[in-house]
Amino acid sequence: MEQKLMGVFAPISTPFTGDGRVDYEGLAKNVKRYAAAGLKGYLALGSNGENKSLSNQEKLLVLETIVQNKDESQTVMSGCIFESTAESIEMGKEMCRRGADFLTLLPPCYFKKQMTDDVLLRYFSDVADAVSVPCLVYNAPQYAGGVGLSPKLIRRCADHPNIVGVKDSSTGNMENILFAVQDKPDFTVMAGSVNNFFTAMTMGGAGGVLSLANSFPEITVELYRLLVERNYAQAIALNTRLLEINRAIGGAGGVAAVKAAMDMNGLAGGDPRLPLLPLTAEQKGALEVKLKAFGLLNDAEKSH
C-alpha cells in the first residue's frame, strides 16, 4: 500500500479553454508528459484542480481523462470534497468506478463550529466504510474554511482499516503528525507542499503532493531521488532552490500563477475559471523573468 504512495504526485491542474470549458485534450497531453517526467502519480480534483469550480459531471470526466492517459504504473488519488456524508459517499463510489486508486477526504467546513474531532472522525469513518478504495484524510485548513485536523484526530483515523494515510498541507504540523502516528507503520504521511516536503521525507514520510510538480515536475522528482538516496548535501541545496521557485510561483499568484508557469513551460495551463482571475500581462512578464533567472525556461530543460 505505502509503495503506491511513495514518490512525487502532481495535484494536477484542470486546464480550461478560452471560453471557460474544461480542456480535456490539454489535460490528457499534460498527463502523458508528467508520466515521462517520472511522477509517481496524481491528485485529481484538489485545490490546484479547482475542485469547487467544477460540476460533479466535470469532476468525473476529469478523473476519467487522467486515469485513461496515465502510465499503468502510476497511482491516482481523487479529491472527494463535499459537505455532506451522503454526497461524499455517492460521489466517492462514482470515483471508485472510474478508476481512482485512493480518495482524499477534506473535512466539511460550512458548519465550522460543529466540526469537532468526534464529528470529523465519524465523517471520515462513514465515507471510508462505504467506498471500495482506501482513503487518505486531507489536512488543509486554508482550503477547508479554517477546519484543520489535530494530530490526535489523525491518530484516531489511523486506527480505521480503510484510512491509510494523511496528506498534510498545513503549516508547522508535519513533525507532530509524524510523531502521533509513529506506532502505525502502515499509515502513510505525505507532504502537501514543497514547504514541508523535506521535513516529511527526512522523518519518515512517504512522498509529497507538490504544486510545483504541475509546472516543473522533473526538479521535484530529482529532489525526491536525492532524499531517498540520502544525498543530503545536494538535497539541501536543491530544496532551497525549490522553495524559492515555489514562492515565486504559487506563493504570490496561487492557481493563476501555477497555470501561467505551466504555459511558459509548454504545458496546458490556461486561465483559471471565474471568479478566479488570470495574471495580468505585467504579472506574467515578471514571473517569466524570475523563472528564466532560475534557469527553468531553457529549451534544453523542457521535455516535450
Side-chain angles (χ1 to χ4, degrees), residues 104-162:
T104 61
L105 307 176
L106 192 73
C109 62
Y110 188 79
F111 296 105
K112 177 181 177 181
K113 290 182 179 180
Q114 280 70 50
M115 292 300 108
T116 64
D117 280 6
D118 287 343
V119 169
L120 293 175
L121 180 63
R122 172 71 182 271
Y123 168 74
F124 292 137
S125 299
D126 285 349
V127 178
D129 285 340
V131 298
S132 60
V133 303
C135 298
L136 291 87
V137 294
Y138 183 9
N139 187 32
Q142 66 272 38
Y143 301 120
V147 177
L149 309 182
S150 68
K152 184 180 295 186
L153 170 60
I154 293 169
R155 175 60 186 80
R156 292 171 71 188
C157 288
D159 286 330
H160 191 288
N162 203 37

Side-chain angles (χ1 to χ4, degrees), residues 37-214:
L39 290 179
K40 182 69 174 183
Y42 312 99
L43 168 61
L45 306 172
S47 55
N48 275 268
E50 297 176 72
N51 182 301
K52 290 296 185 178
S53 297
L54 299 170
S55 70
N56 285 352
Q57 182 180 17
E58 287 174 330
K59 290 176 185 179
L60 295 175
L61 288 173
V62 164
L63 176 59
E64 286 182 355
T65 301
I66 294 168
V67 169
Q68 290 168 3
N69 289 278
K70 73 178 182 71
D71 186 84
E72 63 180 16
S73 66
Q74 290 183 303
T75 299
V76 177
M77 298 181 283
S78 182
C80 187
I81 302 172
F82 301 94
E83 283 297 308
S84 77
T85 300
E87 190 172 19
S88 296
I89 290 173
E90 178 184 359
M91 285 296 291
K93 289 180 176 179
E94 289 294 331
M95 290 170 176
C96 295
R97 282 192 277 269
R98 284 162 171 78
D101 298 301
F102 297 85
L103 299 181
T104 61
L105 307 176
L106 192 73
C109 62
Y110 188 79
F111 296 105
K112 177 181 177 181
K113 290 182 179 180
Q114 280 70 50
M115 292 300 108
T116 64
D117 280 6
D118 287 343
V119 169
L120 293 175
L121 180 63
R122 172 71 182 271
Y123 168 74
F124 292 137
S125 299
D126 285 349
V127 178
D129 285 340
V131 298
S132 60
V133 303
C135 298
L136 291 87
V137 294
Y138 183 9
N139 187 32
Q142 66 272 38
Y143 301 120
V147 177
L149 309 182
S150 68
K152 184 180 295 186
L153 170 60
I154 293 169
R155 175 60 186 80
R156 292 171 71 188
C157 288
D159 286 330
H160 191 288
N162 203 37
I163 299 177
V164 299
V166 58
K167 173 184 176 247
D168 177 40
S169 298
S170 65
T171 300
N173 291 307
M174 178 57 71
E175 292 183 5
N176 290 332
I177 291 171
L178 285 162
F179 285 136
V181 298
Q182 61 184 331
D183 65 327
K184 303 290 288 187
D186 295 329
F187 187 81
T188 299
V189 178
M190 302 188 73
S193 169
V194 168
N195 295 327
N196 63 2
F197 182 57
F198 191 95
T199 299
M201 288 297 300
T202 54
M203 293 186 63
V209 185
L210 310 180
S211 176
L212 188 58
N214 281 315

Side-chain angles (χ1 to χ4, degrees), residues 242-265:
L242 263 58
L243 289 171
E244 293 172 348
I245 296 168
N246 194 58
R247 189 177 300 114
I249 301 175
V255 171
V258 170
K259 288 189 157 188
M262 290 172 64
D263 286 332
M264 294 173 197
N265 198 30

